[in-house]
Amino acid sequence: MMEESTEDTEVLQASPQLQFGAVEEHENEKQKEVKQFTHDTNDDGRDTEEESEEEIYVNAVQKEHLADEHENENKHGHLGSLPRPLDTTKEGLADEYVRLSLQFECALIQHKLALEYFEFRSFYFVFFPLTIIATLITIIGFLISGTTQYDADPLLTGDSKQILSLVLGLLGAFSILLNAVGKRANYQSQSDMHRSAVKALEKICLTVDNERDWFDRNHRNDVECSDHHYLGTKLGADLKTHQASFKAILDACCDSPVPYQVVQTFNLLEQTVSQQVFGPDGRGRSTDLEDPLKFYYQKLWKEYSTYRLWPLVMPRMKVAAKYREWKEERDGNVGNAV
């Protein structure tokens, strides 16, 4: 026996390739046993490869959702302009009411400015010139074809009649051209869209303010509330309804959006205030933005409305400089109030 074991040892030592092959075969058998055990103990009957694919899909959906949120904020500012998932906790509902209130108020001011912008062009670029031209055509046509009361002689003869006939033709051609330009620009239709949006936003703003007051009085300070889940669900449903209405208003004005410069000015102001309140990240709860943003929204609206060439020309303003000026005024008012 000793001789046989010695010989086997010598063979293994003399053949390292055989020894490595045996170890490798043993490791393969262990791996097969582990895979079989993992497959047998899987509760939902799916392989680990399928679970990994599902995890990859879930992660991709989450990344896509975050990307949509970032894109929404980049386009419409920190408050956003598109509906997003609601937080139905007490703190979440309070923050959502503030966010929607600020969002709707900002949109209301923007649509009011857009209404002034397009209504001015509809009246002074199309309606008023066409009315003046039509009046002149009527008067000149009467002078050319009119006669005196007693002898029925024409009112105008010779060169005067020819000149007025030429003027009449030019006015008619200009009227046709202006009418075509007005239909192409469609200022009246655009102003009507923004007028409807202003009325709808005023109604939504009033509803949200009333709901928010009711929420603040009755449930925001209640630490224990047995029907909080029901209230949170109901209020969340109401907020989703307001969001859907707001989206419908935006869709109705898709053919006549708010002028780009107005939107960019408000977004830049909002980003500046967010960075001043929350730091470089510009992210935080909307309740911290309520007082400063409402103050700056009114200031920016007044800056547009009091510009001497508005709404004929858009005012060119440096938002950062205006913000510093308004911030000093607001800090002074707060200090005087204290």
Side-chain angles (χ1 to χ4, degrees):
M1 294 292 292
M2 293 293 294
E3 292 179 357
E4 291 179 1
S5 62
T6 305
E7 290 178 359
D8 294 339
T9 305
E10 291 177 355
V11 172
L12 290 173
Q13 291 177 353
S15 304
Q17 295 178 354
L18 295 175
Q19 185 179 5
F20 177 76
V23 174
E24 184 178 5
E25 183 178 357
H26 181 67
E27 292 294 334
N28 292 334
E29 291 178 357
K30 282 186 176 181
Q31 292 178 1
K32 290 180 180 179
E33 292 177 358
V34 172
K35 289 183 178 179
Q36 184 65 27
F37 176 77
T38 305
H39 180 73
D40 294 339
T41 55
N42 198 344
D43 295 334
D44 55 358
R46 294 176 298 179
D47 294 337
T48 54
E49 294 180 357
E50 293 180 357
E51 290 182 347
S52 62
E53 290 179 359
E54 183 177 356
E55 291 176 358
I56 292 174
Y57 173 76
V58 172
N59 292 333
V61 172
Q62 292 176 349
K63 290 180 180 179
E64 183 178 357
H65 179 69
L66 291 175
D68 292 340
E69 286 188 351
H70 290 310
E71 183 179 359
N72 182 27
E73 290 187 1
N74 291 334
K75 287 183 178 180
H76 306 285
H78 171 78
L79 299 177
S81 181
L82 302 177
R84 69 180 188 183
L86 293 174
D87 183 2
T88 56
T89 63
K90 288 184 179 180
E91 294 78 9
L93 285 173
D95 190 69
E96 285 294 335
Y97 270 114
V98 173
R99 186 182 71 85
L100 289 182
S101 178
L102 290 173
Q103 180 179 331
F104 294 162
E105 183 174 352
C106 179
L108 177 61
I109 295 174
Q110 291 181 10
H111 282 282
K112 284 183 176 180
L113 292 175
L115 174 60
E116 295 176 0
Y117 181 83
F118 289 112
E119 195 171 38
F120 178 88
R121 280 156 175 73
S122 174
F123 183 80
Y124 288 102
F125 289 3
V126 179
F127 176 78
F128 185 72
L130 286 176
T131 303
I132 296 299
I133 291 174
T135 304
L136 292 176
I137 288 176
T138 302
I139 295 174
I140 294 175
F142 172 76
L143 293 177
I144 292 175
S145 60
T147 58
T148 58
Q149 182 177 2
Y150 299 103
D151 53 6
D153 292 335
L155 294 175
L156 297 175
T157 57
D159 294 340
S160 300
K161 187 174 183 179
Q162 292 180 354
I163 293 175
L164 287 181
S165 298
L166 178 61
V167 172
L168 184 64
L170 292 176
L171 287 175
F174 186 71
S175 175
I176 295 174
L177 177 62
L178 189 61
N179 191 27
V181 172
K183 289 183 178 180
R184 177 66 178 177
N186 204 14
Y187 290 131
Q188 183 60 45
S189 177
Q190 294 187 72
S191 64
D192 291 338
M193 289 181 187
H194 291 287
R195 184 178 291 104
S196 300
V198 167
K199 293 180 180 178
L201 284 170
E202 286 177 344
K203 183 178 180 181
I204 293 179
C205 288
L206 181 60
T207 303
V208 170
D209 289 341
N210 291 336
E211 290 180 3
R212 183 184 172 191
D213 292 340
W214 177 85
F215 175 76
D216 289 339
R217 288 195 310 269
N218 295 283
H219 300 285
R220 186 174 182 179
N221 297 325
D222 291 341
V223 179
E224 299 294 337
C225 183
S226 58
D227 56 349
H228 170 68
H229 177 71
Y230 166 74
L231 292 173
T233 303
K234 182 181 181 303
L235 292 174
D238 293 339
L239 290 176
K240 288 181 180 179
T241 302
H242 300 326
Q243 284 185 334
S245 301
F246 181 63
K247 186 177 184 301
I249 294 173
L250 296 182
D251 293 339
C253 294
C254 62
D255 293 334
S256 177
V258 177
Y260 179 76
Q261 186 175 345
V262 174
V263 176
Q264 287 298 105
T265 305
F266 274 85
N267 287 347
L268 184 57
L269 175 64
E270 183 185 311
Q271 292 173 4
T272 304
V273 176
S274 299
Q275 291 177 357
Q276 290 292 327
V277 174
F278 300 130
D281 184 36
R283 293 176 176 273
R285 301 195 69 86
S286 300
T287 50
D288 298 329
L289 289 175
E290 181 177 14
D291 291 338
L293 269 183
K294 283 189 174 182
F295 177 81
Y296 296 128
Y297 282 161
Q298 296 297 322
K299 282 293 183 182
L300 186 56
W301 185 13
K302 184 178 179 181
E303 192 71 20
Y304 270 96
S305 301
T306 57
Y307 183 62
R308 58 189 180 88
L309 296 179
W310 170 261
L312 177 62
V313 179
M314 288 279 187
R316 295 184 178 181
M317 66 182 76
K318 296 181 179 179
V319 177
K322 287 294 181 181
Y323 169 75
R324 289 192 294 268
E325 177 183 343
W326 297 336
K327 186 175 185 300
E328 291 177 359
E329 179 181 350
R330 179 172 180 270
D331 293 341
N333 293 336
V334 172
N336 294 332
V338 174

